Amino acid sequence: MAIATSSRTATSCTPSDPVDADVIRETYSVVLGTGGGVELLGERLLGHVHLLLFDVVDGMPRMRGEWQHAAEHVVAQTQEMLDAGVDLHGDLWGLAVQCRALLCVRQRLAPLERSGGGRGCRETA
């Protein structure tokens, strides 16, 4: 499965970039908690989405059962969003939701750097 880079604001994230769960969580939490509107949040979220997408796609063959099905669904939904083009102002909420979903799936693959003392994916909206 190819990773979409057609978004007009695609970043230079590569699979070798470190995943910092705290920074990612902080970014989508601002958007989901306040409705967004902060200038560079969209760019940050898009960078996190690309970074996480590379990791999740790379790790999916190692997943089994429901987590593998969830990963496939999240990747397909994220690909669809990126292929359609991301409006960083209008799609900020959707981008934050996809970022959170990718992080939750990514956390099933391996421990992340600075995981925040056990804070994981929460089931709150």
Side-chain angles (χ1 to χ4, degrees):
M1 173 177 282
I3 304 294
T5 58
S6 63
S7 174
R8 61 189 163 119
T9 57
T11 62
S12 62
C13 293
T14 63
S16 62
D17 288 345
V19 174
D20 187 335
D22 289 337
V23 171
I24 294 169
R25 196 174 293 110
E26 173 188 317
T27 302
Y28 71 64
S29 293
V30 169
V31 174
L32 296 176
T34 67
V38 179
E39 258 320 289
L40 299 170
L41 275 179
E43 292 286 339
R44 268 178 85 181
L45 277 171
L46 192 58
H48 296 327
V49 165
H50 281 279
L51 173 63
L52 290 167
L53 190 57
F54 278 112
D55 277 359
V56 170
V57 168
D58 186 53
M60 277 193 329
R62 297 189 315 265
M63 300 181 100
R64 299 288 178 261
E66 290 300 314
W67 276 106
Q68 187 175 41
H69 294 300
E72 291 167 354
H73 175 76
V74 169
V75 165
Q77 197 171 28
T78 304
Q79 278 294 154
E80 186 177 309
M81 175 184 261
L82 293 174
D83 288 345
V86 177
D87 172 6
L88 294 179
H89 297 288
D91 296 336
L92 209 53
W93 179 272
L95 195 57
V97 169
Q98 286 308 117
C99 188
R100 179 174 59 185
L102 284 164
L103 181 61
C104 287
V105 172
R106 170 59 179 81
Q107 287 181 311
R108 293 296 299 178
L109 296 173
L112 300 175
E113 294 180 14
R114 295 177 24 191
S115 63
R119 286 188 309 174
C121 296
R122 296 178 204 106
E123 304 223 339
T124 59

